[in-house]
Amino acid sequence: MIRRTVFQALPLAAALMLAGLTACKPAAAASDVVKLPAPTVDTVKTAQGDETAVLAGGCFWGIEAVFEHVKGVHKVVAGYSGGNADTASYEQVSDGGTGHAESVRIQFDPKQVSYGSLLQVFFSVALDPTELNRQGPDSGTQYRSVIFYGNDDQKKIATSYIAQLTAAKSFPAPIVTQVVPLKAFYPAEAYHQHYFSEHPDNPYIVYNDAPKVAHLKQLFPALYQPDRQVVEVQLH
């Protein structure tokens, strides 16, 4: 198994060559990606205020990058969900025995983008939902795909959408994405936040994650937003 730490340590050319020799699936060409149908079950919110979605699908760097480029999304945080607070650290989660999945918390305006639209993006460009406990070069339960629902509406939309995609045979293999209640979300270490924008030349990012953002722009031009400066203020 080639972990992303290996890619970080290699020059770009060497890392790309190594990636091509491994069993990991290369990023799909632009002509191969398909925009999945919108969910037939969705919720249109008219109330003021943001809502939150928590999703997991492999390395959180790429999932975070995709949703940071979606209009209506105000903030994305990389972190851990599925396990306990005392094991919510990168070193422990990387061992695969904590119950955590590398996840992202998405703060979005439901008047600009619906929860169902976020799931449409998730399944279309952010991951391969047929891979069990892995994504690309990363394997282990910490890389499983999960929709952590925060309420009954999110559960209904998620389960209905998976059933819709399954009935339409949208993928060549069964969807293994879990739909489970959100118990807690724990932000990851500071150096993991906005990793895509902070390290665009990292070989892992170039090979595995940049194509996801490119596919988002290609398939969802009305939802795509370019890079924007992220300013975070910490009070001490």
Side-chain angles (χ1 to χ4, degrees):
M1 176 185 67
I2 296 182
R3 300 181 63 84
R4 57 179 179 267
T5 50
V6 176
F7 284 89
Q8 289 177 256
L10 292 174
L12 176 58
L16 294 179
M17 181 179 296
L18 181 59
L21 295 175
T22 68
C24 75
K25 181 174 65 178
S31 59
D32 295 333
V33 297
V34 176
K35 180 180 179 179
L36 296 173
T40 55
V41 176
D42 202 352
T43 301
V44 178
K45 297 290 187 180
T46 58
Q48 299 294 325
D50 286 354
E51 295 189 0
T52 300
V54 177
L55 305 173
C59 173
F60 43 27
W61 296 344
I63 304 295
E64 180 192 51
V66 167
F67 287 103
E68 283 188 331
H69 285 83
V70 173
K71 290 179 181 178
V73 171
H74 292 164
K75 185 176 182 180
V76 187
V77 178
Y80 314 105
S81 193
N84 298 323
D86 59 353
T87 58
S89 70
Y90 184 67
E91 182 178 356
Q92 292 172 285
V93 172
S94 293
D95 288 338
T98 64
H100 282 295
E102 290 195 12
S103 310
V104 296
R105 183 177 63 198
I106 305 161
Q107 181 182 328
F108 66 100
D109 181 353
K111 296 179 70 175
Q112 296 185 58
V113 60
S114 69
Y115 183 73
S117 293
L118 295 181
L119 295 186
Q120 184 185 16
V121 168
F122 181 62
F123 283 111
S124 294
V125 304
L127 82 165
D128 179 349
T130 69
E131 291 192 328
L132 181 64
N133 295 332
R134 69 172 298 114
Q135 283 294 311
D138 300 315
S139 64
T141 58
Q142 69 273 32
Y143 299 114
R144 68 191 185 276
S145 61
V146 190
I147 298 170
F148 293 99
Y149 62 85
N151 53 50
D152 289 341
D153 279 346
Q154 290 187 355
K155 178 182 180 181
K156 180 179 180 181
I157 293 167
T159 55
S160 297
Y161 193 41
I162 291 175
Q164 176 186 337
L165 296 178
T166 299
K169 297 182 179 179
S170 299
F171 297 96
I175 295 173
V176 297
T177 302
Q178 301 171 348
V179 180
V180 301
L182 174 66
K183 296 181 179 179
F185 175 87
Y186 306 97
E189 296 79 357
Y191 69 91
H192 284 300
Q193 307 302 329
H194 318 299
Y195 199 91
F196 180 94
S197 59
E198 295 289 340
H199 306 277
D201 297 326
N202 180 296
Y204 183 97
I205 295 294
V206 171
Y207 186 76
N208 294 285
D209 296 334
K212 297 178 182 180
V213 177
H215 294 158
L216 171 69
K217 183 177 181 180
Q218 174 200 354
L219 297 183
F220 298 91
L223 278 180
Y224 177 82
Q225 65 180 358
D227 290 334
R228 64 190 191 281
Q229 185 175 6
V230 178
V231 178
E232 296 188 357
V233 178
Q234 295 183 346
L235 299 178
H236 299 281

mmCIF file of all heavy atoms in Angstrom, residues 76-120:
data_model
loop_
_atom_site.group_PDB
_atom_site.id
_atom_site.type_symbol
_atom_site.label_atom_id
_atom_site.label_comp_id
_atom_site.label_asym_id
_atom_site.label_seq_id
_atom_site.Cartn_x
_atom_site.Cartn_y
_atom_site.Cartn_z
ATOM 1 N N VAL A 76 -15.464 24.722 5.087
ATOM 2 C CA VAL A 76 -15.232 23.279 5.122
ATOM 3 C C VAL A 76 -14.086 23.009 6.094
ATOM 4 O O VAL A 76 -13.042 23.669 6.026
ATOM 5 C CB VAL A 76 -14.886 22.708 3.735
ATOM 6 C CG1 VAL A 76 -14.818 21.182 3.794
ATOM 7 C CG2 VAL A 76 -15.903 23.151 2.690
ATOM 8 N N VAL A 77 -14.290 22.056 6.971
ATOM 9 C CA VAL A 77 -13.276 21.692 7.958
ATOM 10 C C VAL A 77 -12.949 20.213 7.815
ATOM 11 O O VAL A 77 -13.853 19.372 7.765
ATOM 12 C CB VAL A 77 -13.766 21.973 9.394
ATOM 13 C CG1 VAL A 77 -12.713 21.549 10.419
ATOM 14 C CG2 VAL A 77 -14.112 23.444 9.573
ATOM 15 N N ALA A 78 -11.676 19.883 7.721
ATOM 16 C CA ALA A 78 -11.238 18.489 7.702
ATOM 17 C C ALA A 78 -11.191 17.964 9.133
ATOM 18 O O ALA A 78 -10.810 18.680 10.058
ATOM 19 C CB ALA A 78 -9.862 18.379 7.059
ATOM 20 N N GLY A 79 -11.578 16.704 9.316
ATOM 21 C CA GLY A 79 -11.573 16.158 10.662
ATOM 22 C C GLY A 79 -11.879 14.682 10.702
ATOM 23 O O GLY A 79 -11.680 13.963 9.713
ATOM 24 N N TYR A 80 -12.381 14.246 11.835
ATOM 25 C CA TYR A 80 -12.616 12.830 12.088
ATOM 26 C C TYR A 80 -14.015 12.634 12.676
ATOM 27 O O TYR A 80 -14.479 13.435 13.487
ATOM 28 C CB TYR A 80 -11.568 12.287 13.062
ATOM 29 C CG TYR A 80 -10.161 12.713 12.737
ATOM 30 C CD1 TYR A 80 -9.509 13.695 13.496
ATOM 31 C CD2 TYR A 80 -9.479 12.182 11.651
ATOM 32 C CE1 TYR A 80 -8.230 14.110 13.187
ATOM 33 C CE2 TYR A 80 -8.192 12.595 11.327
ATOM 34 C CZ TYR A 80 -7.572 13.554 12.107
ATOM 35 O OH TYR A 80 -6.302 13.974 11.785
ATOM 36 N N SER A 81 -14.666 11.565 12.253
ATOM 37 C CA SER A 81 -15.980 11.248 12.791
ATOM 38 C C SER A 81 -16.174 9.741 12.783
ATOM 39 O O SER A 81 -15.644 9.035 11.916
ATOM 40 C CB SER A 81 -17.080 11.917 11.957
ATOM 41 O OG SER A 81 -18.315 11.873 12.627
ATOM 42 N N GLY A 82 -16.916 9.262 13.773
ATOM 43 C CA GLY A 82 -17.203 7.835 13.868
ATOM 44 C C GLY A 82 -16.607 7.167 15.077
ATOM 45 O O GLY A 82 -16.995 6.067 15.450
ATOM 46 N N GLY A 83 -15.641 7.831 15.709
ATOM 47 C CA GLY A 83 -14.994 7.267 16.890
ATOM 48 C C GLY A 83 -15.129 8.186 18.082
ATOM 49 O O GLY A 83 -15.989 9.076 18.112
ATOM 50 N N ASN A 84 -14.262 8.003 19.049
ATOM 51 C CA ASN A 84 -14.320 8.771 20.291
ATOM 52 C C ASN A 84 -13.359 9.957 20.268
ATOM 53 O O ASN A 84 -12.401 10.004 19.489
ATOM 54 C CB ASN A 84 -13.982 7.871 21.480
ATOM 55 C CG ASN A 84 -14.969 6.726 21.644
ATOM 56 O OD1 ASN A 84 -16.174 6.897 21.408
ATOM 57 N ND2 ASN A 84 -14.466 5.557 22.038
ATOM 58 N N ALA A 85 -13.596 10.888 21.177
ATOM 59 C CA ALA A 85 -12.785 12.100 21.240
ATOM 60 C C ALA A 85 -11.321 11.790 21.539
ATOM 61 O O ALA A 85 -10.418 12.451 21.011
ATOM 62 C CB ALA A 85 -13.353 13.044 22.298
ATOM 63 N N ASP A 86 -11.066 10.798 22.390
ATOM 64 C CA ASP A 86 -9.688 10.545 22.814
ATOM 65 C C ASP A 86 -8.828 9.885 21.742
ATOM 66 O O ASP A 86 -7.616 9.732 21.931
ATOM 67 C CB ASP A 86 -9.668 9.712 24.102
ATOM 68 C CG ASP A 86 -10.359 8.368 23.959
ATOM 69 O OD1 ASP A 86 -10.976 8.120 22.901
ATOM 70 O OD2 ASP A 86 -10.284 7.557 24.904
ATOM 71 N N THR A 87 -9.435 9.487 20.634
ATOM 72 C CA THR A 87 -8.649 8.898 19.539
ATOM 73 C C THR A 87 -8.714 9.749 18.271
ATOM 74 O O THR A 87 -8.307 9.297 17.200
ATOM 75 C CB THR A 87 -9.131 7.477 19.211
ATOM 76 O OG1 THR A 87 -10.524 7.506 18.848
ATOM 77 C CG2 THR A 87 -8.929 6.548 20.396
ATOM 78 N N ALA A 88 -9.214 10.972 18.380
ATOM 79 C CA ALA A 88 -9.387 11.829 17.214
ATOM 80 C C ALA A 88 -8.109 12.612 16.913
ATOM 81 O O ALA A 88 -8.050 13.831 17.025
ATOM 82 C CB ALA A 88 -10.557 12.780 17.429
ATOM 83 N N SER A 89 -7.073 11.878 16.542
ATOM 84 C CA SER A 89 -5.817 12.494 16.111
ATOM 85 C C SER A 89 -5.331 11.743 14.884
ATOM 86 O O SER A 89 -5.635 10.560 14.700
ATOM 87 C CB SER A 89 -4.756 12.419 17.213
ATOM 88 O OG SER A 89 -4.318 11.089 17.415
ATOM 89 N N TYR A 90 -4.567 12.432 14.037
ATOM 90 C CA TYR A 90 -4.147 11.828 12.781
ATOM 91 C C TYR A 90 -3.312 10.570 13.009
ATOM 92 O O TYR A 90 -3.492 9.563 12.328
ATOM 93 C CB TYR A 90 -3.351 12.840 11.955
ATOM 94 C CG TYR A 90 -2.966 12.322 10.596
ATOM 95 C CD1 TYR A 90 -3.927 12.061 9.624
ATOM 96 C CD2 TYR A 90 -1.631 12.089 10.276
ATOM 97 C CE1 TYR A 90 -3.575 11.576 8.377
ATOM 98 C CE2 TYR A 90 -1.276 11.616 9.026
ATOM 99 C CZ TYR A 90 -2.239 11.370 8.082
ATOM 100 O OH TYR A 90 -1.884 10.880 6.845
ATOM 101 N N GLU A 91 -2.409 10.628 13.978
ATOM 102 C CA GLU A 91 -1.548 9.475 14.243
ATOM 103 C C GLU A 91 -2.362 8.257 14.632
ATOM 104 O O GLU A 91 -2.111 7.142 14.146
ATOM 105 C CB GLU A 91 -0.541 9.810 15.345
ATOM 106 C CG GLU A 91 0.428 8.678 15.650
ATOM 107 C CD GLU A 91 1.448 9.063 16.707
ATOM 108 O OE1 GLU A 91 1.439 10.228 17.149
ATOM 109 O OE2 GLU A 91 2.253 8.197 17.085
ATOM 110 N N GLN A 92 -3.365 8.440 15.481
ATOM 111 C CA GLN A 92 -4.179 7.309 15.923
ATOM 112 C C GLN A 92 -5.145 6.851 14.833
ATOM 113 O O GLN A 92 -5.305 5.648 14.596
ATOM 114 C CB GLN A 92 -4.954 7.682 17.194
ATOM 115 C CG GLN A 92 -4.083 7.883 18.418
ATOM 116 C CD GLN A 92 -4.864 8.436 19.599
ATOM 117 O OE1 GLN A 92 -5.208 9.615 19.626
ATOM 118 N NE2 GLN A 92 -5.150 7.595 20.572
ATOM 119 N N VAL A 93 -5.793 7.791 14.174
ATOM 120 C CA VAL A 93 -6.765 7.432 13.134
ATOM 121 C C VAL A 93 -6.078 6.681 11.995
ATOM 122 O O VAL A 93 -6.659 5.763 11.403
ATOM 123 C CB VAL A 93 -7.473 8.695 12.619
ATOM 124 C CG1 VAL A 93 -8.336 8.379 11.396
ATOM 125 C CG2 VAL A 93 -8.350 9.301 13.714
ATOM 126 N N SER A 94 -4.840 7.030 11.694
ATOM 127 C CA SER A 94 -4.123 6.398 10.587
ATOM 128 C C SER A 94 -3.875 4.911 10.814
ATOM 129 O O SER A 94 -3.603 4.173 9.862
ATOM 130 C CB SER A 94 -2.788 7.109 10.346
ATOM 131 O OG SER A 94 -3.002 8.425 9.881
ATOM 132 N N ASP A 95 -3.963 4.459 12.054
ATOM 133 C CA ASP A 95 -3.795 3.029 12.329
ATOM 134 C C ASP A 95 -5.012 2.219 11.920
ATOM 135 O O ASP A 95 -4.941 0.987 11.819
ATOM 136 C CB ASP A 95 -3.514 2.802 13.819
ATOM 137 C CG ASP A 95 -2.116 3.268 14.216
ATOM 138 O OD1 ASP A 95 -1.262 3.350 13.310
ATOM 139 O OD2 ASP A 95 -1.894 3.547 15.401
ATOM 140 N N GLY A 96 -6.148 2.867 11.711
ATOM 141 C CA GLY A 96 -7.335 2.187 11.210
ATOM 142 C C GLY A 96 -8.178 1.485 12.248
ATOM 143 O O GLY A 96 -9.152 0.815 11.890
ATOM 144 N N GLY A 97 -7.846 1.630 13.528
ATOM 145 C CA GLY A 97 -8.593 0.898 14.547
ATOM 146 C C GLY A 97 -9.416 1.756 15.480
ATOM 147 O O GLY A 97 -9.914 1.255 16.496
ATOM 148 N N THR A 98 -9.596 3.030 15.157
ATOM 149 C CA THR A 98 -10.288 3.935 16.075
ATOM 150 C C THR A 98 -11.794 4.031 15.818
ATOM 151 O O THR A 98 -12.526 4.552 16.654
ATOM 152 C CB THR A 98 -9.719 5.364 15.966
ATOM 153 O OG1 THR A 98 -9.985 5.860 14.639
ATOM 154 C CG2 THR A 98 -8.228 5.370 16.228
ATOM 155 N N GLY A 99 -12.236 3.562 14.660
ATOM 156 C CA GLY A 99 -13.629 3.739 14.275
ATOM 157 C C GLY A 99 -13.879 5.041 13.543
ATOM 158 O O GLY A 99 -14.954 5.253 12.978
ATOM 159 N N HIS A 100 -12.890 5.930 13.552
ATOM 160 C CA HIS A 100 -13.028 7.200 12.850
ATOM 161 C C HIS A 100 -12.852 7.015 11.344
ATOM 162 O O HIS A 100 -12.120 6.127 10.889
ATOM 163 C CB HIS A 100 -11.973 8.201 13.322
ATOM 164 C CG HIS A 100 -12.285 8.846 14.631
ATOM 165 N ND1 HIS A 100 -13.366 9.684 14.807
ATOM 166 C CD2 HIS A 100 -11.653 8.774 15.834
ATOM 167 C CE1 HIS A 100 -13.386 10.110 16.065
ATOM 168 N NE2 HIS A 100 -12.355 9.565 16.713
ATOM 169 N N ALA A 101 -13.508 7.882 10.594
ATOM 170 C CA ALA A 101 -13.236 8.050 9.167
ATOM 171 C C ALA A 101 -12.749 9.472 8.960
ATOM 172 O O ALA A 101 -13.230 10.397 9.612
ATOM 173 C CB ALA A 101 -14.487 7.804 8.334
ATOM 174 N N GLU A 102 -11.770 9.640 8.083
ATOM 175 C CA GLU A 102 -11.367 10.991 7.710
ATOM 176 C C GLU A 102 -12.574 11.653 7.051
ATOM 177 O O GLU A 102 -13.097 11.158 6.050
ATOM 178 C CB GLU A 102 -10.167 10.970 6.768
ATOM 179 C CG GLU A 102 -8.888 10.527 7.450
ATOM 180 C CD GLU A 102 -7.644 10.855 6.628
ATOM 181 O OE1 GLU A 102 -7.756 11.615 5.636
ATOM 182 O OE2 GLU A 102 -6.561 10.352 6.969
ATOM 183 N N SER A 103 -13.020 12.768 7.593
ATOM 184 C CA SER A 103 -14.293 13.368 7.206
ATOM 185 C C SER A 103 -14.137 14.860 6.973
ATOM 186 O O SER A 103 -13.105 15.455 7.279
ATOM 187 C CB SER A 103 -15.340 13.138 8.316
ATOM 188 O OG SER A 103 -15.400 11.784 8.706
ATOM 189 N N VAL A 104 -15.186 15.450 6.423
ATOM 190 C CA VAL A 104 -15.229 16.907 6.305
ATOM 191 C C VAL A 104 -16.580 17.397 6.805
ATOM 192 O O VAL A 104 -17.607 16.754 6.611
ATOM 193 C CB VAL A 104 -14.995 17.402 4.856
ATOM 194 C CG1 VAL A 104 -13.612 17.042 4.370
ATOM 195 C CG2 VAL A 104 -16.053 16.859 3.911
ATOM 196 N N ARG A 105 -16.553 18.529 7.486
ATOM 197 C CA ARG A 105 -17.774 19.202 7.921
ATOM 198 C C ARG A 105 -18.004 20.394 7.009
ATOM 199 O O ARG A 105 -17.144 21.262 6.872
ATOM 200 C CB ARG A 105 -17.644 19.652 9.379
ATOM 201 C CG ARG A 105 -18.919 20.300 9.937
ATOM 202 C CD ARG A 105 -18.730 20.649 11.405
ATOM 203 N NE ARG A 105 -17.671 21.653 11.578
ATOM 204 C CZ ARG A 105 -17.056 21.876 12.747
ATOM 205 N NH1 ARG A 105 -17.364 21.168 13.819
ATOM 206 N NH2 ARG A 105 -16.120 22.810 12.828
ATOM 207 N N ILE A 106 -19.168 20.404 6.375
ATOM 208 C CA ILE A 106 -19.480 21.401 5.358
ATOM 209 C C ILE A 106 -20.572 22.323 5.888
ATOM 210 O O ILE A 106 -21.684 21.878 6.191
ATOM 211 C CB ILE A 106 -19.961 20.716 4.063
ATOM 212 C CG1 ILE A 106 -18.921 19.700 3.572
ATOM 213 C CG2 ILE A 106 -20.279 21.743 2.986
ATOM 214 C CD1 ILE A 106 -19.479 18.688 2.599
ATOM 215 N N GLN A 107 -20.257 23.573 6.000
ATOM 216 C CA GLN A 107 -21.236 24.590 6.404
ATOM 217 C C GLN A 107 -21.757 25.251 5.133
ATOM 218 O O GLN A 107 -20.986 25.846 4.369
ATOM 219 C CB GLN A 107 -20.576 25.621 7.314
ATOM 220 C CG GLN A 107 -21.492 26.727 7.814
ATOM 221 C CD GLN A 107 -20.746 27.736 8.675
ATOM 222 O OE1 GLN A 107 -19.793 27.395 9.371
ATOM 223 N NE2 GLN A 107 -21.169 28.983 8.615
ATOM 224 N N PHE A 108 -23.070 25.152 4.883
ATOM 225 C CA PHE A 108 -23.607 25.628 3.613
ATOM 226 C C PHE A 108 -24.924 26.370 3.806
ATOM 227 O O PHE A 108 -25.627 26.190 4.808
ATOM 228 C CB PHE A 108 -23.813 24.458 2.644
ATOM 229 C CG PHE A 108 -24.867 23.460 3.061
ATOM 230 C CD1 PHE A 108 -26.149 23.505 2.509
ATOM 231 C CD2 PHE A 108 -24.589 22.467 3.997
ATOM 232 C CE1 PHE A 108 -27.124 22.588 2.881
ATOM 233 C CE2 PHE A 108 -25.557 21.544 4.377
ATOM 234 C CZ PHE A 108 -26.829 21.606 3.818
ATOM 235 N N ASP A 109 -25.229 27.196 2.826
ATOM 236 C CA ASP A 109 -26.471 27.954 2.810
ATOM 237 C C ASP A 109 -27.489 27.173 1.980
ATOM 238 O O ASP A 109 -27.349 27.081 0.754
ATOM 239 C CB ASP A 109 -26.234 29.336 2.193
ATOM 240 C CG ASP A 109 -27.493 30.193 2.168
ATOM 241 O OD1 ASP A 109 -28.583 29.683 2.500
ATOM 242 O OD2 ASP A 109 -27.389 31.382 1.797
ATOM 243 N N PRO A 110 -28.517 26.593 2.604
ATOM 244 C CA PRO A 110 -29.471 25.764 1.860
ATOM 245 C C PRO A 110 -30.302 26.550 0.861
ATOM 246 O O PRO A 110 -30.960 25.946 0.002
ATOM 247 C CB PRO A 110 -30.337 25.170 2.971
ATOM 248 C CG PRO A 110 -30.230 26.133 4.096
ATOM 249 C CD PRO A 110 -28.836 26.677 4.029
ATOM 250 N N LYS A 111 -30.278 27.878 0.919
ATOM 251 C CA LYS A 111 -30.980 28.680 -0.070
ATOM 252 C C LYS A 111 -30.164 28.817 -1.354
ATOM 253 O O LYS A 111 -30.697 29.188 -2.394
ATOM 254 C CB LYS A 111 -31.293 30.068 0.508
ATOM 255 C CG LYS A 111 -32.242 30.023 1.707
ATOM 256 C CD LYS A 111 -32.522 31.395 2.264
ATOM 257 C CE LYS A 111 -33.374 32.220 1.318
ATOM 258 N NZ LYS A 111 -33.754 33.526 1.913
ATOM 259 N N GLN A 112 -28.865 28.490 -1.264
ATOM 260 C CA GLN A 112 -28.000 28.548 -2.445
ATOM 261 C C GLN A 112 -27.686 27.165 -3.003
ATOM 262 O O GLN A 112 -27.556 27.004 -4.219
ATOM 263 C CB GLN A 112 -26.692 29.258 -2.095
ATOM 264 C CG GLN A 112 -26.848 30.706 -1.706
ATOM 265 C CD GLN A 112 -25.503 31.369 -1.498
ATOM 266 O OE1 GLN A 112 -24.654 31.396 -2.395
ATOM 267 N NE2 GLN A 112 -25.270 31.905 -0.311
ATOM 268 N N VAL A 113 -27.520 26.199 -2.121
ATOM 269 C CA VAL A 113 -27.231 24.835 -2.557
ATOM 270 C C VAL A 113 -27.908 23.869 -1.593
ATOM 271 O O VAL A 113 -27.802 24.017 -0.374
ATOM 272 C CB VAL A 113 -25.698 24.574 -2.617
ATOM 273 C CG1 VAL A 113 -25.043 24.776 -1.255
ATOM 274 C CG2 VAL A 113 -25.398 23.201 -3.182
ATOM 275 N N SER A 114 -28.631 22.916 -2.126
ATOM 276 C CA SER A 114 -29.379 21.991 -1.275
ATOM 277 C C SER A 114 -28.486 20.858 -0.792
ATOM 278 O O SER A 114 -27.416 20.594 -1.352
ATOM 279 C CB SER A 114 -30.563 21.401 -2.047
ATOM 280 O OG SER A 114 -30.109 20.524 -3.073
ATOM 281 N N TYR A 115 -28.959 20.177 0.239
ATOM 282 C CA TYR A 115 -28.233 19.004 0.743
ATOM 283 C C TYR A 115 -28.135 17.939 -0.343
ATOM 284 O O TYR A 115 -27.090 17.310 -0.523
ATOM 285 C CB TYR A 115 -28.958 18.451 1.975
ATOM 286 C CG TYR A 115 -28.265 17.284 2.639
ATOM 287 C CD1 TYR A 115 -27.105 17.474 3.380
ATOM 288 C CD2 TYR A 115 -28.779 15.992 2.529
ATOM 289 C CE1 TYR A 115 -26.469 16.399 3.998
ATOM 290 C CE2 TYR A 115 -28.144 14.918 3.142
ATOM 291 C CZ TYR A 115 -26.992 15.122 3.873
ATOM 292 O OH TYR A 115 -26.364 14.059 4.488
ATOM 293 N N GLY A 116 -29.225 17.761 -1.080
ATOM 294 C CA GLY A 116 -29.204 16.787 -2.169
ATOM 295 C C GLY A 116 -28.190 17.133 -3.233
ATOM 296 O O GLY A 116 -27.530 16.236 -3.796
ATOM 297 N N SER A 117 -28.021 18.414 -3.527
ATOM 298 C CA SER A 117 -27.018 18.827 -4.514
ATOM 299 C C SER A 117 -25.607 18.528 -4.032
ATOM 300 O O SER A 117 -24.735 18.155 -4.818
ATOM 301 C CB SER A 117 -27.165 20.315 -4.825
ATOM 302 O OG SER A 117 -28.383 20.580 -5.489
ATOM 303 N N LEU A 118 -25.382 18.694 -2.728
ATOM 304 C CA LEU A 118 -24.077 18.329 -2.172
ATOM 305 C C LEU A 118 -23.798 16.847 -2.366
ATOM 306 O O LEU A 118 -22.680 16.447 -2.701
ATOM 307 C CB LEU A 118 -24.013 18.689 -0.690
ATOM 308 C CG LEU A 118 -24.086 20.173 -0.324
ATOM 309 C CD1 LEU A 118 -23.994 20.337 1.197
ATOM 310 C CD2 LEU A 118 -22.992 20.981 -1.000
ATOM 311 N N LEU A 119 -24.820 16.017 -2.162
ATOM 312 C CA LEU A 119 -24.641 14.579 -2.361
ATOM 313 C C LEU A 119 -24.434 14.244 -3.834
ATOM 314 O O LEU A 119 -23.673 13.324 -4.175
ATOM 315 C CB LEU A 119 -25.848 13.814 -1.813
ATOM 316 C CG LEU A 119 -26.077 13.898 -0.302
ATOM 317 C CD1 LEU A 119 -27.209 12.965 0.109
ATOM 318 C CD2 LEU A 119 -24.813 13.571 0.485
ATOM 319 N N GLN A 120 -25.090 14.981 -4.722
ATOM 320 C CA GLN A 120 -24.882 14.777 -6.154
ATOM 321 C C GLN A 120 -23.427 15.045 -6.529
ATOM 322 O O GLN A 120 -22.810 14.270 -7.273
ATOM 323 C CB GLN A 120 -25.817 15.686 -6.948
ATOM 324 C CG GLN A 120 -25.747 15.486 -8.457
ATOM 325 C CD GLN A 120 -26.595 16.485 -9.219
ATOM 326 O OE1 GLN A 120 -27.016 17.506 -8.662
ATOM 327 N NE2 GLN A 120 -26.851 16.209 -10.482
#
